[in-house]
Amino acid sequence: MPQTPHVERHFTGSESVRDVVIGMSDGLTVPFALAAGLSGAVSSGHIVVVAGLAEIAAGSIAMGLGGFLAARSDAEHYEQELARERKEVETIPEAEATEVAEIFESYGLSKEESRPVIDALRQKPGAWVNFMMRFELGLEEPLRGRALRSALTIAGAYAIGGFLPLFPYMLLTRMRSAFSLSVTLTLLALFMFGYVKGRFTGTAPLRGAVQTLVIGALAAAAAFFIARLIS
Amino acid sequence: MPQTPHVERHFTGSESVRDVVIGMSDGLTVPFALAAGLSGAVSSGHIVVVAGLAEIAAGSIAMGLGGFLAARSDAEHYEQELARERKEVETIPEAEATEVAEIFESYGLSKEESRPVIDALRQKPGAWVNFMMRFELGLEEPLRGRALRSALTIAGAYAIGGFLPLFPYMLLTRMRSAFSLSVTLTLLALFMFGYVKGRFTGTAPLRGAVQTLVIGALAAAAAFFIARLIS
């Protein structure tokens, strides 16, 4: 495979982490905001729970299946481009060699300076194809089995994140208490999640924590005021 | 910039299209599924509209702000890595030259074959840094202003997609009629959206149409049965 071990590690880690982050960011935010919003407009905690669970079902299916199809379509796109490059390297090697020279020219290298590399690649068609995939098209080979794992990771993270803000409405009968507990728990969870997310993705943890908290709070506030306005 | 015009075009187009696709896929799916789900559990179309609008507010803020911060964090990551590569090229050029040789080795090229390119890059530190960004780290320079445009595109697409399934509940007083019209309109819209999306993203249009329709229908059915089960 064309990737150096360094790059391979980089991408493996970030794709799984990114899936958890994608699922849990939205899972902690949208069902929470919907529950907070509805609790300003309806008098029954039961409706909040019904709407929240319906939202979790819809959201985790939409995001999980969406992630599945996106990952599968990335894999198909890679295969199509790979087949095209293979054919081009075989049938129009001169044009491909010119493309490689142009890539190096864009880094200020003359045709003479890049010629030894091009001549060497022409001796190794398999390596040449991999070189074109990465350096002409900027494509990484997708990991096998990624589509399904991605789907389950995103959907699971969404559902786990979404249950937390609903628990208080299941346990407590007084709407006001359920609302307060839900908001407190979820804002705390958003802060902690943002902190951990920051550590994984390279943002400063505290800044990640504050950003994630603010998104959740803004979404919930918007939902609350819109629901109250029209109810 | 290190990118060939070909690659530049490829990425510009796909990022804007991807933002619309991300926003509208979820916007057409989740508020629709929530509305369909709730209409199996509550007797008032008004509650469906309140919950739906609250969801649209929450979802578009969560996705838009999420997209904004993700794009900004990509841009910051690029700047950090750029600064690091600049420093490494300046302070430890031997180690960097060895890294370039190793990249070419992974394509089967000997040290002798890659030496002319490496020698030429060493004469041009600026181009060398750009070369490392793309070929060692696989990073593209993010487009300027992308974070804000991405946020607004995703949020707008989500809101537009989300309004459609709610309109029938605003216009029609009979729940059953509103439900039927909402389901019909939205499944039609999902089909058309999936078709267009397929054309833009390279999936076969009809397959894209069917996939998008199925995700929406599954999410709505799951929400419907969960809501009915616990209501």
Side-chain angles (χ1 to χ4, degrees), chain A residues 23-35:
Chain A
M24 193 159 280
S25 295
D26 279 21
L28 272 173
T29 305
V30 182
F32 161 59
L34 177 66

Side-chain angles (χ1 to χ4, degrees), chain A:
Chain A
M1 292 307 97
Q3 300 157 340
T4 58
H6 170 76
V7 173
E8 178 85 58
R9 252 202 317 276
H10 175 74
F11 272 80
T12 314
S14 79
E15 288 192 338
S16 291
V17 170
R18 207 184 56 192
D19 286 341
V20 171
V21 166
I22 288 172
M24 193 159 280
S25 295
D26 279 21
L28 272 173
T29 305
V30 182
F32 161 59
L34 177 66
L38 276 181
S39 68
V42 301
S43 54
S44 149
H46 186 62
I47 289 180
V48 174
V49 173
V50 171
L53 290 179
E55 211 285 337
I56 290 174
S60 56
I61 287 178
M63 291 196 80
L65 258 181
F68 177 78
L69 294 174
R72 215 181 52 177
S73 132
D74 280 356
E76 281 167 9
H77 180 62
Y78 186 88
E79 289 303 322
Q80 279 164 16
E81 295 289 335
L82 187 65
R84 205 180 73 178
E85 284 299 333
R86 272 191 189 131
K87 201 176 153 207
E88 286 178 1
V89 159
E90 200 184 324
T91 56
I92 46 165
E94 290 307 323
E96 291 293 289
T98 307
E99 284 182 12
V100 180
E102 282 166 2
I103 293 172
F104 285 117
E105 265 177 63
S106 71
Y107 292 92
L109 271 63
S110 69
K111 285 203 171 53
E112 289 66 38
E113 288 164 338
S114 60
R115 182 155 308 138
V117 164
I118 295 171
D119 288 344
L121 284 175
R122 295 186 71 155
Q123 304 304 314
K124 305 180 175 70
W128 192 9
V129 168
N130 290 339
F131 183 90
M132 297 307 279
M133 290 302 287
R134 173 97 197 248
F135 292 168
E136 188 205 359
L137 301 175
L139 293 176
E140 304 274 339
E141 187 178 27
L143 301 169
R144 273 175 195 286
R146 161 135 176 76
L148 185 63
R149 200 176 57 225
S150 176
L152 295 176
T153 309
I154 293 176
Y158 190 94
I160 290 169
F163 270 118
L164 181 75
L166 293 186
F167 266 121
Y169 295 95
M170 297 173 182
L171 294 176
L172 303 173
T173 45
R174 275 189 63 221
M175 276 289 270
R176 190 175 288 245
S177 319
F179 174 79
S180 304
L181 186 59
S182 173
V183 170
T184 311
L185 276 182
T186 312
L187 291 183
L188 208 67
L190 282 165
F191 189 87
M192 279 162 29
F193 169 68
Y195 192 92
V196 174
K197 178 176 102 176
R199 285 190 66 130
F200 271 102
T201 57
T203 317
L206 203 64
R207 197 175 126 195
V210 172
Q211 282 179 350
T212 311
L213 180 74
V214 166
I215 294 180
L218 278 180
F224 185 88
F225 286 112
I226 282 186
R228 176 152 281 192
L229 205 70
I230 58 169
S231 72

Side-chain angles (χ1 to χ4, degrees), chain B residues 8-188:
Chain B
E8 178 84 57
R9 254 203 314 279
H10 175 74
F11 271 81
T12 313
S14 79
E15 288 191 338
S16 291
V17 170
R18 206 186 55 192
D19 287 341
V20 172
V21 166
I22 288 172
M24 194 160 279
S25 296
D26 280 20
L28 273 173
T29 305
V30 182
F32 162 59
L34 177 66
L38 277 182
S39 69
V42 301
S43 55
S44 149
H46 186 62
I47 288 179
V48 174
V49 173
V50 170
L53 290 179
E55 211 285 336
I56 290 174
S60 55
I61 287 177
M63 290 196 81
L65 257 182
F68 177 80
L69 294 174
R72 215 180 53 177
S73 131
D74 279 355
E76 280 168 10
H77 180 62
Y78 186 89
E79 289 303 323
Q80 280 165 14
E81 295 289 334
L82 186 65
R84 206 179 71 179
E85 284 299 333
R86 272 192 189 131
K87 199 175 156 208
E88 285 178 1
V89 160
E90 200 184 324
T91 56
I92 45 166
E94 290 307 323
E96 290 294 288
T98 307
E99 283 182 12
V100 179
E102 282 166 3
I103 292 172
F104 285 116
E105 267 177 60
S106 71
Y107 293 92
L109 271 64
S110 68
K111 285 203 170 54
E112 289 67 36
E113 287 163 337
S114 60
R115 182 156 308 138
V117 164
I118 295 171
D119 288 344
L121 284 174
R122 296 187 70 156
Q123 303 305 312
K124 304 179 176 71
W128 191 11
V129 168
N130 290 338
F131 183 90
M132 298 307 280
M133 290 303 287
R134 173 95 197 249
F135 294 169
E136 187 204 2
L137 301 175
L139 292 176
E140 305 273 340
E141 187 178 26
L143 300 169
R144 272 179 194 284
R146 162 136 175 73
L148 185 63
R149 201 174 59 227
S150 177
L152 296 175
T153 308
I154 293 176
Y158 190 94
I160 290 170
F163 270 117
L164 181 75
L166 292 186
F167 266 122
Y169 294 95
M170 298 174 182
L171 295 175
L172 303 172
T173 45
R174 274 189 64 219
M175 275 290 270
R176 190 175 288 244
S177 320
F179 175 78
S180 304
L181 185 61
S182 174
V183 170
T184 311
L185 277 182
T186 311
L187 292 183
L188 208 66

